[in-house]
């Protein structure tokens, strides 16, 4: 037991494989930069006549100019190329590097960075990725020996319904060996020049797939499964974001907005020792969500998205999906992360209306609350206002229950009773 603890403690101080490769890359490029500067200095010095005054100073000045104007940009480009070619934060076992990479895992990163990495980990020299678009068709991207491009829309590649059904039934990937008895499916594999295909599935819907020329081993398949799941969620959010920005096409969604809202709230209130949390009837443009962050603490968000409510069910479901996925990946750590995530999501949606929110943390016998907006009131005994806007407020629960209201209507009520020690 002691030996295992010693090994774990010793391993903690050792760099991960990703950190080691990154350090080697930095040492190599910086050493190359220093060598170039030294060689340039002696070459320039050799060309300046010895009798000339300030010979050393002039050589130093010219070398510095070359280093800043010419060598430094070249070294920076070389560093970026080496990192792109040989390193991937998405495939590293270093938790901190992977966490930072996931934060940047958006649709553009999927196309430019994640797709080539997925091809590389399978050991394939080529690959094709299909991505579901907002109009229900699939866009194709290719990767061949380090070169990547988007295939022309006129290229005759279609994803037939039967092929989509086959991929949905093979959520852990399928090799061409499984299709010999299925002539049509085998032809689809041949058309994609694929020996192995891994689908991107979210909520039992196909959002894309990657087709590669090599059948991966077990470790590579496990890495593919992690990236494929996040890829499906990224494509889903990208499509939903497009539909929201094109809200003129969704006037008929008003009738379904309230139904979407009701589905969002199902089973979200946690059962915490000593706490009794009551949710009241909501308005059609409110979101109330409880979730845990990286350290296991429980947070809640009350979000009001302004006056326009025709498409609020879609908008809030999108925001909920973003917050939920980030909390499940253990990226959210506290108030600032949650607030930044909500603000950036509204910016991505190009949301023009004002929005207000409350972000709260449930402690042992106290609430920590940040309030943004004038519509909300946080009171005790219906009269005493216990929170100020723009500040992080700590509210002790030993003086009575706390009621959160919006425009005079109750939203949430918190009661804390000290658990009895048996």
């Amino acid at each position: 037991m002691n030996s295992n603890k010693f090994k774990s403690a010793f391993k903690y101080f050792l760099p991960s494989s990703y950190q080691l490769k990154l350090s080697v890359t930095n040492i190599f490029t910086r050493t190359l930069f220093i060598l170039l500067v030294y060689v340039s200095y002696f070459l320039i010095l050799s060309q300046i006549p010895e009798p000339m005054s300030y010979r050393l100073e002039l050589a130093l000045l010219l070398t510095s100019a070359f280093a800043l104007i010419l060598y430094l940009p070249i070294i920076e480009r070389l560093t970026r190329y080496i990192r792109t070619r040989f390193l991937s934060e998405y495939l590293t076992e270093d938790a901190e590097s992977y966490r930072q990479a996931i934060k940047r895992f958006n649709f553009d990163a999927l196309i430019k960075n994640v797709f080539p990495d997925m091809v590389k980990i399978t050991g394939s020299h080529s690959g094709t990725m299909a991505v579901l678009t907002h109009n229900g068709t699939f866009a194709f991207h290719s990767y061949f020996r380090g070169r990547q491009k988007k295939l022309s829309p006129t290229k005759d590649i279609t994803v037939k319904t039967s092929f989509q059904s086959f991929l949905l039934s093979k959520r852990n990937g399928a090799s061409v060996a499984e299709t010999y008895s299925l002539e049509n499916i085998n032809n689809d594999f041949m058309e994609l020049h694929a020996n192995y295909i891994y689908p991107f599935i979210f909520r039992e819907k196909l959002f894309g797939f990657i087709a590669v020329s090599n059948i991966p081993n077990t470790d590579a398949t496990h890495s593919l499964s992690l990236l494929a799941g996040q890829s499906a969620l990224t494509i889903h959010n990208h499509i939903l974001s497009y539909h929201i920005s094109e809200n003129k096409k969704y006037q008929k969604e008003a009738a379904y907005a309230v139904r979407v809202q009701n589905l969002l709230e199902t089973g979200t209130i946690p059962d915490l020792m000593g706490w009794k949390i009551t949710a009241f009837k909501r308005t059609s443009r409110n979101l109330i969500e409880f979730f845990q962050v990286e350290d296991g603490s429980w947070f809640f968000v009350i979000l009001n998205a302004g006056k326009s409510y025709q498409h609020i069910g879609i908008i809030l479901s999108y925001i909920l999906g973003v917050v939920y996925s980030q909390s499940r990946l253990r990226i959210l750590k506290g108030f600032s992360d949650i607030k930044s995530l909500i603000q950036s999501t509204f910016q991505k949606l190009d949301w023009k209306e004002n929005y207000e929110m409350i972000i709260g943390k449930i402690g042992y016998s106290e609430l920590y609350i940040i309030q943004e907006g004038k519509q909300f009131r946080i009171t005790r005994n219906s009269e005493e206002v216990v929170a100020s806007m723009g500040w992080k407020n700590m509210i002790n629960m030993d003086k009575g229950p706390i009621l959160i209201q919006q425009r005079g209507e109750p939203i949430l009520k918190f009661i804390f009773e000290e658990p009895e020690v048996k």
Side-chain angles (χ1 to χ4, degrees), residues 138 158-168 185 188 206:
F138 285 85
T158 58
V159 182
K160 298 189 289 290
T161 303
S162 59
F163 190 51
Q164 294 185 45
S165 300
F166 173 79
L167 292 179
L168 282 171
I185 304 299
D188 293 326
L206 183 69

Side-chain angles (χ1 to χ4, degrees), residues 72-141:
L72 191 59
I74 292 175
I75 292 299
E76 288 179 349
R77 288 181 65 110
L78 177 62
T79 302
R80 286 196 298 269
Y81 171 77
I82 293 175
R83 289 179 180 176
T84 303
R85 184 71 178 82
F86 299 105
L87 295 176
S88 171
E89 292 173 300
Y90 298 97
L91 306 180
T92 179
E93 295 179 356
D94 180 34
E96 185 61 30
S97 300
Y98 182 74
R99 184 180 290 111
Q100 295 299 322
I102 289 295
K103 283 186 177 182
R104 299 189 296 272
F105 200 145
N106 53 28
F107 188 76
D108 291 335
L110 169 63
I111 303 299
K112 296 178 181 178
N113 302 321
V114 181
F115 168 43
D117 287 342
M118 295 174 82
V119 177
K120 292 174 187 176
I121 64 175
T122 64
S124 302
H125 64 272
S126 64
T128 301
M129 183 173 68
V131 176
L132 185 65
T133 63
H134 59 85
N135 58 10
T137 61
F138 285 85
F140 287 85
H141 301 262

